Amino acid sequence: MTDANGLDGWTHVYSGKVRDLYVPTVLMTDDDTWTGDPMSLSPVVLVVASDRVSAFDHVLEPAIPGKGALLTSLTRWWFDRLPEVPNHLAYAEDDRYHDLPPVPAEVADRAMLCRALDMFPIECVVRGYLTGSGYKEYVETSGIAGIRLPEGLADGDRLPEPIYTPAWKAPLGQHDENITYERTVELVGETVAEQLRALSLSVFTHASEVAEERGLILADTKFEFGADRELGIVTLADEVLTSDSSRYWDLEAYLTGPTPEVRMASFDKQIVRDWLAANWNQDETEEPPVLPAEVVEQTAERYRALVERLTQAL
């Protein structure tokens, strides 16, 4: 999963399940050791989205062709439609970054040059519809993240209003933990916790309107934020409103589909999850099976379809 090879002018410092991070190589000393923590020293980080796909906390084989470029282009598209929300993109015309090495051509379509942020350990989840893990929690507790919901809701029902249901971002290899809003106050303080909630709900509401204009439903999504190291302001980071961070449904299918599977067919890697659940017992001692070619292509097509639907001119 980890590609330790640097790019021209950039040195690899971290890999998650699906993204690789690089900092300018000039941070390294002559003896090829770090002069300090590269993520804290560097004013920027090159975020490269890979084509890797993960499910059930495992990175799977093979990758989904074109996935990284599609998600990166969609994130940039959404940033352009959220001009009032600070985001982490660093712009080459900014004098602070004029000495940076160029973004290497081999990753240009799937890379974002970003200002380094002090990330908050919160996944800011917003739900407009009841489904997925939220529905499972509702069945057990009649609510989600401490928010009580009306009785009698079914899987896929629209909620009376969008709700903010945060999660604690666990270290790599551990499971994220759903938490209450009160717990986020304990983790980041009352002022930041309120900003995270307000920004998340505001962006979700706006994005839902944009999606509906294009015949789509934004059922739920998750955002990540960090503090700008120079200004201290809460800043939107990572991928935004993509297939990997959001659940989109086709509006017409949702209204007229004959089965829940048709009504809530999502533009994401659900095909991968369904196939893996049917063909692997999730035994931690065994590697997951290789994805068949048809599952890979069907997943790639769902990613492409969402980008085309959202970015089409109206």
Side-chain angles (χ1 to χ4, degrees):
M1 178 179 71
T2 300
D3 176 11
N5 296 323
L7 300 167
D8 186 19
W10 298 85
T11 298
H12 174 268
V13 293
Y14 176 79
S15 282
K17 293 187 182 73
V18 297
R19 275 179 292 282
D20 303 308
L21 305 184
Y22 299 80
V23 297
T25 302
V26 293
L27 291 179
M28 297 188 72
T29 61
D30 292 338
D31 63 355
D32 206 39
T33 60
W34 292 115
T35 58
D37 177 5
M39 293 298 289
S40 63
L41 285 172
S42 179
V44 296
V45 59
L46 189 67
V47 180
V48 180
S50 75
D51 290 344
R52 298 188 296 268
V53 63
S54 67
F56 303 120
D57 292 323
H58 284 76
V59 176
L60 309 174
E61 295 289 345
I64 307 298
K67 171 177 175 282
L70 287 168
L71 298 192
T72 299
S73 68
L74 190 53
T75 292
R76 288 184 174 277
W77 186 86
W78 275 114
F79 279 155
D80 287 343
R81 277 144 192 83
L82 299 167
E84 297 180 356
V85 182
N87 68 64
H88 66 170
L89 291 184
Y91 296 97
E93 59 269 22
D94 191 318
D95 290 341
R96 292 174 296 176
Y97 310 129
H98 71 277
D99 289 332
L100 290 176
V103 175
E106 64 264 39
V107 298
D109 63 345
R110 53 190 181 91
M112 292 187 293
L113 181 60
C114 303
R115 288 175 290 114
L117 306 175
D118 293 322
M119 297 300 294
F120 299 116
I122 307 294
E123 281 197 342
C124 298
V125 181
V126 182
R127 305 174 190 271
Y129 289 74
L130 184 63
T131 193
S133 62
Y135 177 67
K136 293 178 182 177
E137 184 174 344
Y138 167 76
V139 170
E140 295 174 357
T141 68
S142 299
I144 307 175
I147 301 173
R148 190 162 186 83
L149 296 173
E151 296 181 1
L153 296 177
D155 189 8
D157 279 357
R158 185 171 185 170
L159 297 172
E161 61 182 9
I163 59 174
Y164 176 69
T165 60
W168 172 69
K169 288 166 54 178
L172 186 65
Q174 299 182 31
H175 296 285
D176 292 343
E177 176 187 341
N178 293 332
I179 57 177
T180 63
Y181 173 74
E182 289 72 23
R183 177 59 179 145
T184 69
V185 172
E186 296 174 1
L187 289 169
V188 299
E190 185 172 359
T191 299
V192 170
E194 177 52 37
Q195 287 179 294
L196 295 179
R197 178 169 63 180
L199 277 170
S200 298
L201 288 168
S202 175
V203 173
F204 179 85
T205 299
H206 175 65
S208 296
E209 294 169 354
V210 172
E212 189 168 344
E213 291 172 354
R214 289 157 171 79
L216 295 165
I217 289 173
L218 177 59
D220 53 44
T221 193
K222 65 178 180 181
F223 303 109
E224 296 193 29
F225 294 88
D228 183 289
R229 290 178 179 173
E230 292 186 15
L231 304 176
I233 60 175
V234 174
T235 302
L236 186 57
D238 204 32
E239 63 177 299
V240 173
L241 295 161
T242 70
S243 301
D244 271 10
S245 65
S246 314
R247 196 188 318 260
Y248 290 91
W249 298 329
D250 180 274
L251 177 58
E252 181 65 22
Y254 178 82
L255 295 175
T256 64
T259 66
E261 291 75 19
V262 172
R263 295 179 62 238
M264 294 182 286
S266 52
F267 290 84
D268 58 17
K269 58 186 177 184
Q270 190 61 46
I271 298 167
V272 170
R273 296 190 195 96
D274 291 344
W275 184 87
L276 202 59
N279 292 274
W280 183 48
N281 62 8
Q282 299 184 45
D283 185 344
E284 293 294 335
T285 65
E286 297 180 4
E287 289 296 316
V290 173
L291 299 173
E294 60 270 22
V295 169
V296 171
E297 177 50 38
Q298 289 170 13
T299 303
E301 176 53 34
R302 295 301 280 176
Y303 281 116
R304 289 193 295 267
L306 178 65
V307 174
E308 291 170 1
R309 288 280 295 273
L310 279 172
T311 61
Q312 64 182 320
L314 296 181

Short mmCIF file of all heavy atoms in Angstrom, two decimals, residues 59-116:
data_model
loop_
_atom_site.label_atom_id
_atom_site.label_comp_id
_atom_site.label_asym_id
_atom_site.label_seq_id
_atom_site.Cartn_x
_atom_site.Cartn_y
_atom_site.Cartn_z
N VAL A 59 -7.23 -2.56 1.88
CA VAL A 59 -6.97 -2.10 0.53
C VAL A 59 -7.03 -3.33 -0.39
O VAL A 59 -6.41 -4.35 -0.11
CB VAL A 59 -5.60 -1.42 0.41
CG1 VAL A 59 -5.30 -1.04 -1.03
CG2 VAL A 59 -5.58 -0.18 1.29
N LEU A 60 -7.78 -3.20 -1.46
CA LEU A 60 -8.09 -4.34 -2.31
C LEU A 60 -7.30 -4.28 -3.62
O LEU A 60 -6.78 -3.25 -4.02
CB LEU A 60 -9.59 -4.36 -2.62
CG LEU A 60 -10.52 -4.25 -1.40
CD1 LEU A 60 -11.96 -4.15 -1.85
CD2 LEU A 60 -10.33 -5.45 -0.47
N GLU A 61 -7.25 -5.42 -4.26
CA GLU A 61 -6.63 -5.54 -5.58
C GLU A 61 -7.68 -6.06 -6.56
O GLU A 61 -8.51 -6.88 -6.19
CB GLU A 61 -5.44 -6.51 -5.54
CG GLU A 61 -4.28 -6.04 -4.67
CD GLU A 61 -3.53 -4.88 -5.28
OE1 GLU A 61 -3.72 -4.62 -6.49
OE2 GLU A 61 -2.77 -4.24 -4.54
N PRO A 62 -7.63 -5.57 -7.82
CA PRO A 62 -6.77 -4.50 -8.32
C PRO A 62 -7.37 -3.13 -8.01
O PRO A 62 -8.46 -3.03 -7.44
CB PRO A 62 -6.77 -4.75 -9.83
CG PRO A 62 -8.13 -5.32 -10.10
CD PRO A 62 -8.46 -6.16 -8.89
N ALA A 63 -6.67 -2.08 -8.40
CA ALA A 63 -7.16 -0.72 -8.23
C ALA A 63 -8.26 -0.42 -9.25
O ALA A 63 -8.50 -1.20 -10.18
CB ALA A 63 -6.01 0.27 -8.39
N ILE A 64 -8.93 0.71 -9.07
CA ILE A 64 -9.99 1.14 -9.98
C ILE A 64 -9.39 2.17 -10.95
O ILE A 64 -9.04 3.28 -10.54
CB ILE A 64 -11.16 1.78 -9.21
CG1 ILE A 64 -11.65 0.85 -8.10
CG2 ILE A 64 -12.28 2.15 -10.17
CD1 ILE A 64 -12.19 -0.48 -8.58
N PRO A 65 -9.24 1.83 -12.22
CA PRO A 65 -8.56 2.74 -13.16
C PRO A 65 -9.23 4.11 -13.22
O PRO A 65 -10.44 4.23 -13.35
CB PRO A 65 -8.69 1.99 -14.51
CG PRO A 65 -8.90 0.56 -14.14
CD PRO A 65 -9.68 0.58 -12.86
N GLY A 66 -8.41 5.16 -13.10
CA GLY A 66 -8.91 6.52 -13.22
C GLY A 66 -9.56 7.09 -11.99
O GLY A 66 -9.95 8.27 -11.97
N LYS A 67 -9.68 6.31 -10.93
CA LYS A 67 -10.41 6.74 -9.73
C LYS A 67 -9.78 8.00 -9.12
O LYS A 67 -10.48 8.96 -8.77
CB LYS A 67 -10.43 5.61 -8.71
CG LYS A 67 -10.96 5.97 -7.33
CD LYS A 67 -10.99 4.73 -6.44
CE LYS A 67 -11.38 5.05 -5.01
NZ LYS A 67 -10.24 5.63 -4.26
N GLY A 68 -8.46 8.02 -8.96
CA GLY A 68 -7.81 9.16 -8.32
C GLY A 68 -8.05 10.46 -9.06
O GLY A 68 -8.33 11.50 -8.45
N ALA A 69 -7.95 10.41 -10.39
CA ALA A 69 -8.16 11.63 -11.18
C ALA A 69 -9.61 12.08 -11.12
O ALA A 69 -9.89 13.29 -11.04
CB ALA A 69 -7.74 11.38 -12.63
N LEU A 70 -10.55 11.15 -11.12
CA LEU A 70 -11.96 11.50 -11.06
C LEU A 70 -12.31 12.18 -9.74
O LEU A 70 -12.99 13.23 -9.72
CB LEU A 70 -12.83 10.25 -11.25
CG LEU A 70 -12.90 9.67 -12.66
CD1 LEU A 70 -13.54 8.29 -12.63
CD2 LEU A 70 -13.67 10.59 -13.60
N LEU A 71 -11.84 11.62 -8.63
CA LEU A 71 -12.17 12.20 -7.33
C LEU A 71 -11.49 13.55 -7.14
O LEU A 71 -12.07 14.46 -6.53
CB LEU A 71 -11.75 11.24 -6.21
CG LEU A 71 -12.44 9.88 -6.18
CD1 LEU A 71 -12.14 9.16 -4.86
CD2 LEU A 71 -13.94 9.99 -6.38
N THR A 72 -10.28 13.69 -7.66
CA THR A 72 -9.59 14.97 -7.55
C THR A 72 -10.30 16.05 -8.35
O THR A 72 -10.50 17.18 -7.88
CB THR A 72 -8.13 14.84 -8.02
OG1 THR A 72 -7.46 13.87 -7.20
CG2 THR A 72 -7.40 16.17 -7.94
N SER A 73 -10.71 15.72 -9.56
CA SER A 73 -11.41 16.71 -10.39
C SER A 73 -12.73 17.11 -9.76
O SER A 73 -13.13 18.29 -9.81
CB SER A 73 -11.64 16.16 -11.80
OG SER A 73 -12.57 15.08 -11.80
N LEU A 74 -13.42 16.16 -9.12
CA LEU A 74 -14.70 16.47 -8.50
C LEU A 74 -14.50 17.35 -7.26
O LEU A 74 -15.28 18.28 -7.02
CB LEU A 74 -15.44 15.19 -8.14
CG LEU A 74 -16.90 15.36 -7.71
CD1 LEU A 74 -17.69 16.17 -8.74
CD2 LEU A 74 -17.55 14.00 -7.48
N THR A 75 -13.46 17.07 -6.47
CA THR A 75 -13.18 17.91 -5.32
C THR A 75 -12.89 19.35 -5.75
O THR A 75 -13.41 20.31 -5.17
CB THR A 75 -11.96 17.36 -4.54
OG1 THR A 75 -12.32 16.11 -3.93
CG2 THR A 75 -11.53 18.32 -3.44
N ARG A 76 -12.08 19.52 -6.78
CA ARG A 76 -11.79 20.87 -7.28
C ARG A 76 -13.07 21.54 -7.78
O ARG A 76 -13.26 22.75 -7.57
CB ARG A 76 -10.76 20.79 -8.41
CG ARG A 76 -9.36 20.43 -7.95
CD ARG A 76 -8.37 20.47 -9.11
NE ARG A 76 -7.01 20.29 -8.67
CZ ARG A 76 -6.23 21.25 -8.20
NH1 ARG A 76 -6.71 22.48 -8.10
NH2 ARG A 76 -4.99 21.01 -7.83
N TRP A 77 -13.92 20.79 -8.43
CA TRP A 77 -15.18 21.34 -8.94
C TRP A 77 -16.02 21.86 -7.77
O TRP A 77 -16.60 22.95 -7.85
CB TRP A 77 -15.93 20.26 -9.72
CG TRP A 77 -17.16 20.73 -10.42
CD1 TRP A 77 -17.26 21.29 -11.65
CD2 TRP A 77 -18.51 20.65 -9.91
NE1 TRP A 77 -18.57 21.57 -11.96
CE2 TRP A 77 -19.36 21.19 -10.90
CE3 TRP A 77 -19.08 20.18 -8.73
CZ2 TRP A 77 -20.74 21.26 -10.74
CZ3 TRP A 77 -20.45 20.26 -8.56
CH2 TRP A 77 -21.26 20.80 -9.56
N TRP A 78 -16.09 21.10 -6.70
CA TRP A 78 -16.87 21.53 -5.54
C TRP A 78 -16.23 22.73 -4.85
O TRP A 78 -16.93 23.65 -4.41
CB TRP A 78 -17.05 20.38 -4.55
CG TRP A 78 -18.19 19.47 -4.88
CD1 TRP A 78 -18.13 18.17 -5.25
CD2 TRP A 78 -19.58 19.82 -4.86
NE1 TRP A 78 -19.40 17.68 -5.47
CE2 TRP A 78 -20.31 18.66 -5.24
CE3 TRP A 78 -20.29 20.98 -4.57
CZ2 TRP A 78 -21.69 18.65 -5.31
CZ3 TRP A 78 -21.68 20.97 -4.65
CH2 TRP A 78 -22.36 19.81 -5.01
N PHE A 79 -14.91 22.75 -4.74
CA PHE A 79 -14.26 23.92 -4.14
C PHE A 79 -14.64 25.19 -4.91
O PHE A 79 -14.85 26.25 -4.30
CB PHE A 79 -12.74 23.75 -4.16
CG PHE A 79 -12.20 22.89 -3.05
CD1 PHE A 79 -10.99 22.23 -3.21
CD2 PHE A 79 -12.87 22.75 -1.85
CE1 PHE A 79 -10.48 21.44 -2.19
CE2 PHE A 79 -12.37 21.96 -0.82
CZ PHE A 79 -11.16 21.31 -1.00
N ASP A 80 -14.73 25.12 -6.23
CA ASP A 80 -15.10 26.29 -7.03
C ASP A 80 -16.51 26.75 -6.72
O ASP A 80 -16.85 27.92 -6.95
CB ASP A 80 -15.00 25.96 -8.53
CG ASP A 80 -13.56 25.86 -9.00
OD1 ASP A 80 -12.66 26.35 -8.30
OD2 ASP A 80 -13.34 25.27 -10.08
N ARG A 81 -17.36 25.85 -6.22
CA ARG A 81 -18.74 26.20 -5.92
C ARG A 81 -18.96 26.51 -4.45
O ARG A 81 -20.09 26.70 -4.00
CB ARG A 81 -19.66 25.06 -6.37
CG ARG A 81 -19.96 25.18 -7.85
CD ARG A 81 -20.07 23.86 -8.58
NE ARG A 81 -20.08 24.18 -10.02
CZ ARG A 81 -18.95 24.39 -10.74
NH1 ARG A 81 -17.77 24.29 -10.16
NH2 ARG A 81 -19.02 24.69 -12.03
N LEU A 82 -17.87 26.57 -3.71
CA LEU A 82 -17.94 26.90 -2.28
C LEU A 82 -16.95 28.03 -1.98
O LEU A 82 -16.08 27.92 -1.10
CB LEU A 82 -17.59 25.67 -1.44
CG LEU A 82 -18.50 24.45 -1.60
CD1 LEU A 82 -17.87 23.21 -0.98
CD2 LEU A 82 -19.87 24.72 -1.00
N PRO A 83 -17.06 29.16 -2.69
CA PRO A 83 -16.05 30.23 -2.55
C PRO A 83 -16.02 30.87 -1.17
O PRO A 83 -15.00 31.45 -0.80
CB PRO A 83 -16.47 31.25 -3.62
CG PRO A 83 -17.94 31.02 -3.81
CD PRO A 83 -18.13 29.53 -3.64
N GLU A 84 -17.10 30.76 -0.41
CA GLU A 84 -17.13 31.39 0.90
C GLU A 84 -16.58 30.49 2.01
O GLU A 84 -16.47 30.93 3.15
CB GLU A 84 -18.57 31.81 1.24
CG GLU A 84 -19.13 32.86 0.28
CD GLU A 84 -20.55 33.26 0.63
OE1 GLU A 84 -21.11 32.66 1.59
OE2 GLU A 84 -21.09 34.16 -0.02
N VAL A 85 -16.26 29.25 1.65
CA VAL A 85 -15.72 28.30 2.64
C VAL A 85 -14.22 28.16 2.42
O VAL A 85 -13.79 27.70 1.36
CB VAL A 85 -16.40 26.93 2.50
CG1 VAL A 85 -15.86 25.96 3.56
CG2 VAL A 85 -17.91 27.06 2.63
N PRO A 86 -13.39 28.56 3.38
CA PRO A 86 -11.94 28.42 3.20
C PRO A 86 -11.56 26.96 2.95
O PRO A 86 -12.05 26.06 3.64
CB PRO A 86 -11.36 28.92 4.53
CG PRO A 86 -12.44 29.76 5.13
CD PRO A 86 -13.73 29.15 4.69
N ASN A 87 -10.71 26.72 1.94
CA ASN A 87 -10.24 25.37 1.70
C ASN A 87 -8.72 25.34 1.66
O ASN A 87 -8.06 26.37 1.69
CB ASN A 87 -10.84 24.79 0.41
CG ASN A 87 -10.33 25.50 -0.84
OD1 ASN A 87 -9.14 25.46 -1.16
ND2 ASN A 87 -11.24 26.17 -1.56
N HIS A 88 -8.16 24.15 1.58
CA HIS A 88 -6.72 23.98 1.79
C HIS A 88 -5.88 24.11 0.53
O HIS A 88 -4.66 23.90 0.59
CB HIS A 88 -6.45 22.63 2.46
CG HIS A 88 -6.79 21.44 1.62
ND1 HIS A 88 -6.43 20.16 1.99
CD2 HIS A 88 -7.46 21.31 0.46
CE1 HIS A 88 -6.87 19.31 1.08
NE2 HIS A 88 -7.49 19.98 0.15
N LEU A 89 -6.46 24.43 -0.61
CA LEU A 89 -5.67 24.53 -1.83
C LEU A 89 -4.65 25.66 -1.73
O LEU A 89 -4.96 26.76 -1.26
CB LEU A 89 -6.57 24.77 -3.04
CG LEU A 89 -7.46 23.60 -3.48
CD1 LEU A 89 -8.23 23.98 -4.75
CD2 LEU A 89 -6.65 22.33 -3.70
N ALA A 90 -3.44 25.38 -2.15
CA ALA A 90 -2.39 26.40 -2.23
C ALA A 90 -2.21 26.78 -3.69
O ALA A 90 -2.15 25.90 -4.56
CB ALA A 90 -1.08 25.85 -1.66
N TYR A 91 -2.17 28.05 -3.98
CA TYR A 91 -2.14 28.51 -5.37
C TYR A 91 -0.74 28.97 -5.75
O TYR A 91 -0.07 29.69 -5.00
CB TYR A 91 -3.15 29.64 -5.58
CG TYR A 91 -4.56 29.16 -5.36
CD1 TYR A 91 -5.21 29.35 -4.14
CD2 TYR A 91 -5.23 28.46 -6.36
CE1 TYR A 91 -6.49 28.88 -3.93
CE2 TYR A 91 -6.51 27.99 -6.16
CZ TYR A 91 -7.14 28.20 -4.95
OH TYR A 91 -8.41 27.72 -4.73
N ALA A 92 -0.30 28.55 -6.94
CA ALA A 92 1.06 28.81 -7.38
C ALA A 92 1.37 30.31 -7.46
O ALA A 92 2.52 30.72 -7.27
CB ALA A 92 1.30 28.15 -8.74
N GLU A 93 0.34 31.12 -7.74
CA GLU A 93 0.59 32.55 -7.86
C GLU A 93 0.83 33.23 -6.51
O GLU A 93 1.21 34.40 -6.45
CB GLU A 93 -0.58 33.24 -8.57
CG GLU A 93 -1.92 33.09 -7.90
CD GLU A 93 -2.70 31.88 -8.37
OE1 GLU A 93 -2.06 30.94 -8.89
OE2 GLU A 93 -3.94 31.87 -8.21
N ASP A 94 0.60 32.51 -5.42
CA ASP A 94 0.87 33.06 -4.09
C ASP A 94 2.38 33.15 -3.89
O ASP A 94 3.10 32.15 -4.02
CB ASP A 94 0.24 32.15 -3.03
CG ASP A 94 0.23 32.77 -1.65
OD1 ASP A 94 1.25 33.38 -1.28
OD2 ASP A 94 -0.78 32.63 -0.95
N ASP A 95 2.88 34.33 -3.57
CA ASP A 95 4.32 34.54 -3.42
C ASP A 95 4.95 33.61 -2.39
O ASP A 95 6.15 33.32 -2.45
CB ASP A 95 4.60 36.00 -3.05
CG ASP A 95 4.33 36.96 -4.20
OD1 ASP A 95 4.29 36.48 -5.35
OD2 ASP A 95 4.16 38.17 -3.94
N ARG A 96 4.17 33.17 -1.42
CA ARG A 96 4.73 32.30 -0.38
C ARG A 96 5.19 30.97 -0.94
O ARG A 96 5.99 30.27 -0.34
CB ARG A 96 3.68 32.06 0.71
CG ARG A 96 3.34 33.27 1.54
CD ARG A 96 2.21 32.97 2.50
NE ARG A 96 0.97 32.65 1.79
CZ ARG A 96 -0.16 32.26 2.39
NH1 ARG A 96 -0.18 32.12 3.71
NH2 ARG A 96 -1.24 32.02 1.69
N TYR A 97 4.68 30.59 -2.12
CA TYR A 97 4.95 29.26 -2.65
C TYR A 97 5.72 29.29 -3.98
O TYR A 97 5.79 28.31 -4.68
CB TYR A 97 3.62 28.51 -2.85
CG TYR A 97 2.72 28.54 -1.64
CD1 TYR A 97 1.40 28.93 -1.73
CD2 TYR A 97 3.21 28.18 -0.38
CE1 TYR A 97 0.57 28.97 -0.61
CE2 TYR A 97 2.40 28.22 0.74
CZ TYR A 97 1.08 28.62 0.61
OH TYR A 97 0.27 28.65 1.72
N HIS A 98 6.32 30.46 -4.31
CA HIS A 98 6.92 30.56 -5.63
C HIS A 98 8.20 29.73 -5.78
O HIS A 98 8.64 29.46 -6.90
CB HIS A 98 7.22 32.03 -5.98
CG HIS A 98 8.36 32.62 -5.19
ND1 HIS A 98 8.20 33.12 -3.93
CD2 HIS A 98 9.66 32.79 -5.51
CE1 HIS A 98 9.36 33.58 -3.48
NE2 HIS A 98 10.26 33.40 -4.42
N ASP A 99 8.82 29.30 -4.68
CA ASP A 99 10.03 28.49 -4.76
C ASP A 99 9.75 26.99 -4.72
O ASP A 99 10.69 26.19 -4.71
CB ASP A 99 10.98 28.84 -3.60
CG ASP A 99 11.60 30.22 -3.77
OD1 ASP A 99 11.75 30.66 -4.94
OD2 ASP A 99 11.92 30.86 -2.76
N LEU A 100 8.50 26.60 -4.71
CA LEU A 100 8.16 25.18 -4.64
C LEU A 100 8.48 24.47 -5.96
O LEU A 100 8.40 25.07 -7.03
CB LEU A 100 6.67 25.00 -4.35
CG LEU A 100 6.18 25.38 -2.96
CD1 LEU A 100 4.67 25.24 -2.89
CD2 LEU A 100 6.84 24.51 -1.90
N PRO A 101 8.84 23.20 -5.88
CA PRO A 101 9.00 22.43 -7.12
C PRO A 101 7.64 22.28 -7.79
O PRO A 101 6.59 22.29 -7.13
CB PRO A 101 9.53 21.08 -6.63
CG PRO A 101 9.09 20.98 -5.21
CD PRO A 101 9.11 22.38 -4.68
N PRO A 102 7.60 22.14 -9.12
CA PRO A 102 6.32 21.96 -9.80
C PRO A 102 5.69 20.63 -9.45
O PRO A 102 6.37 19.69 -9.03
CB PRO A 102 6.70 22.03 -11.28
CG PRO A 102 8.13 21.60 -11.32
CD PRO A 102 8.74 22.12 -10.05
N VAL A 103 4.38 20.55 -9.62
CA VAL A 103 3.69 19.27 -9.44
C VAL A 103 4.09 18.35 -10.58
O VAL A 103 3.94 18.71 -11.75
CB VAL A 103 2.16 19.47 -9.42
CG1 VAL A 103 1.45 18.12 -9.34
CG2 VAL A 103 1.76 20.36 -8.25
N PRO A 104 4.62 17.18 -10.30
CA PRO A 104 5.09 16.29 -11.37
C PRO A 104 3.97 15.92 -12.33
O PRO A 104 2.83 15.68 -11.92
CB PRO A 104 5.58 15.06 -10.60
CG PRO A 104 5.93 15.58 -9.24
CD PRO A 104 4.92 16.64 -8.96
N ALA A 105 4.30 15.88 -13.60
CA ALA A 105 3.30 15.64 -14.64
C ALA A 105 2.60 14.30 -14.47
O ALA A 105 1.41 14.17 -14.78
CB ALA A 105 3.95 15.73 -16.03
N GLU A 106 3.33 13.29 -13.96
CA GLU A 106 2.75 11.95 -13.88
C GLU A 106 1.61 11.84 -12.87
O GLU A 106 0.85 10.86 -12.90
CB GLU A 106 3.81 10.90 -13.59
CG GLU A 106 4.51 11.04 -12.24
CD GLU A 106 5.83 11.79 -12.35
OE1 GLU A 106 5.91 12.76 -13.12
OE2 GLU A 106 6.78 11.39 -11.62
N VAL A 107 1.49 12.84 -11.96
CA VAL A 107 0.39 12.79 -10.98
C VAL A 107 -0.47 14.05 -11.04
O VAL A 107 -1.34 14.23 -10.19
CB VAL A 107 0.93 12.60 -9.54
CG1 VAL A 107 1.67 11.28 -9.41
CG2 VAL A 107 1.82 13.77 -9.13
N ALA A 108 -0.24 14.92 -12.01
CA ALA A 108 -0.90 16.23 -12.03
C ALA A 108 -2.42 16.12 -12.01
O ALA A 108 -3.09 16.97 -11.40
CB ALA A 108 -0.44 17.03 -13.24
N ASP A 109 -2.99 15.11 -12.68
CA ASP A 109 -4.45 15.02 -12.77
C ASP A 109 -5.08 14.45 -11.50
O ASP A 109 -6.30 14.46 -11.36
CB ASP A 109 -4.87 14.19 -13.98
CG ASP A 109 -4.40 12.75 -13.92
OD1 ASP A 109 -3.51 12.44 -13.09
OD2 ASP A 109 -4.90 11.92 -14.71
N ARG A 110 -4.25 13.99 -10.57
CA ARG A 110 -4.81 13.42 -9.34
C ARG A 110 -4.12 13.98 -8.09
O ARG A 110 -4.15 13.36 -7.03
CB ARG A 110 -4.74 11.89 -9.36
CG ARG A 110 -3.38 11.31 -9.65
CD ARG A 110 -3.47 9.79 -9.88
NE ARG A 110 -2.18 9.18 -10.15
CZ ARG A 110 -1.36 8.69 -9.23
NH1 ARG A 110 -1.73 8.71 -7.95
NH2 ARG A 110 -0.21 8.15 -9.55
N ALA A 111 -3.52 15.15 -8.24
CA ALA A 111 -2.80 15.75 -7.13
C ALA A 111 -3.36 17.13 -6.81
O ALA A 111 -3.82 17.86 -7.69
CB ALA A 111 -1.31 15.86 -7.45
N MET A 112 -3.31 17.49 -5.54
CA MET A 112 -3.66 18.83 -5.09
C MET A 112 -2.53 19.36 -4.24
O MET A 112 -2.08 18.70 -3.29
CB MET A 112 -4.96 18.82 -4.27
CG MET A 112 -6.21 18.48 -5.06
SD MET A 112 -7.73 18.70 -4.08
CE MET A 112 -7.52 17.40 -2.84
N LEU A 113 -2.05 20.54 -4.58
CA LEU A 113 -1.06 21.22 -3.76
C LEU A 113 -1.81 21.96 -2.67
O LEU A 113 -2.61 22.86 -2.95
CB LEU A 113 -0.25 22.20 -4.61
CG LEU A 113 0.86 22.97 -3.88
CD1 LEU A 113 1.89 22.01 -3.29
CD2 LEU A 113 1.51 23.98 -4.81
N CYS A 114 -1.55 21.57 -1.43
CA CYS A 114 -2.36 22.06 -0.31
C CYS A 114 -1.51 22.72 0.76
O CYS A 114 -0.38 22.32 1.00
CB CYS A 114 -3.12 20.89 0.33
SG CYS A 114 -4.18 19.99 -0.83
N ARG A 115 -2.10 23.72 1.39
CA ARG A 115 -1.48 24.30 2.57
C ARG A 115 -1.56 23.28 3.72
O ARG A 115 -2.59 22.63 3.89
CB ARG A 115 -2.19 25.59 2.96
CG ARG A 115 -1.91 26.75 2.02
CD ARG A 115 -2.70 27.98 2.35
NE ARG A 115 -4.11 27.81 2.07
CZ ARG A 115 -5.07 27.79 2.97
NH1 ARG A 115 -4.78 27.91 4.24
NH2 ARG A 115 -6.32 27.64 2.61
N ALA A 116 -0.48 23.15 4.45
CA ALA A 116 -0.49 22.23 5.58
C ALA A 116 -1.38 22.79 6.68
O ALA A 116 -1.32 23.97 7.01
CB ALA A 116 0.93 22.03 6.10
#
